[in-house]
Amino acid sequence: MDYIPIDYRHYSPQLDNKTKNEHWREMLDRAEKRGFKPLYVLTDSWYGSVENMKHIDKKNWKWITNLKTNRQVSETKGTYIAVADLALTEKQVKLVWLKEYGYVLVCKIVDQDGGITYLATNDLELTNWEHYKQHWQARWQIEQMHRGIKQTTGLAKNYAIRTKPQKTHIFAAYVSF
């Protein structure tokens, strides 16, 4: 499977007064207009806000996101606990109510160093932990691409002050990569 960047944004709130999340939602809207129909929208916890999840839901797309350990979930209506306090064993997928969102399936992944990642999805049929994890691991290709582009193209060495040269440098880095 090939992974190809299809969009990027220049984050400059002083110029456009937009947050990273607003840019992210605009990129999803643009992908939808271009006819993209992703199997899953994969995000880290930075983009795992309720507002972003609901934005994806409006497109009838599925998503999988990291949850911060303090995100509030409920197994019993009205009783919320942090996802990290949920009785959840590794390789278990559990249906819970995510505060301010609704029903999601959560699971946890324990890496070889003992680090724990909590995931949530709106795909209530993704009950097999192995499949859940496999879909989530596709995101790693994106992380590798970002690391590779920074290491091989000089993307991080952009000393331009003005917006247009910054954008040109970023574009050139993506094209050359």
Side-chain angles (χ1 to χ4, degrees), residues 19 59 62 78 84 103 112 121 123 137 139 144-145 149:
T19 67
K59 300 173 184 322
K62 303 290 185 209
Y103 283 111
Q112 56 199 97
T121 182
D123 183 356
Q137 287 177 329
R139 188 177 155 268
Q144 287 180 313
M145 187 272 306
I149 200 169

Side-chain angles (χ1 to χ4, degrees), residues 96-112:
V96 297
W97 185 269
L98 181 63
K99 191 172 188 176
E100 299 179 10
Y101 177 79
Y103 283 111
V104 297
L105 288 177
V106 296
C107 74
K108 77 176 180 181
I109 297 174
V110 181
D111 67 29
Q112 56 199 97

Side-chain angles (χ1 to χ4, degrees), residues 74-88:
S74 175
E75 291 182 271
T76 308
K77 189 174 181 176
T79 306
Y80 290 98
I81 59 172
V83 70
D85 295 331
L86 188 62
L88 186 65

Side-chain angles (χ1 to χ4, degrees), residues 34-46:
R34 290 175 171 169
F36 283 84
K37 292 177 174 52
L39 182 60
Y40 291 99
V41 176
L42 306 172
T43 74
D44 60 17
S45 60
W46 181 270

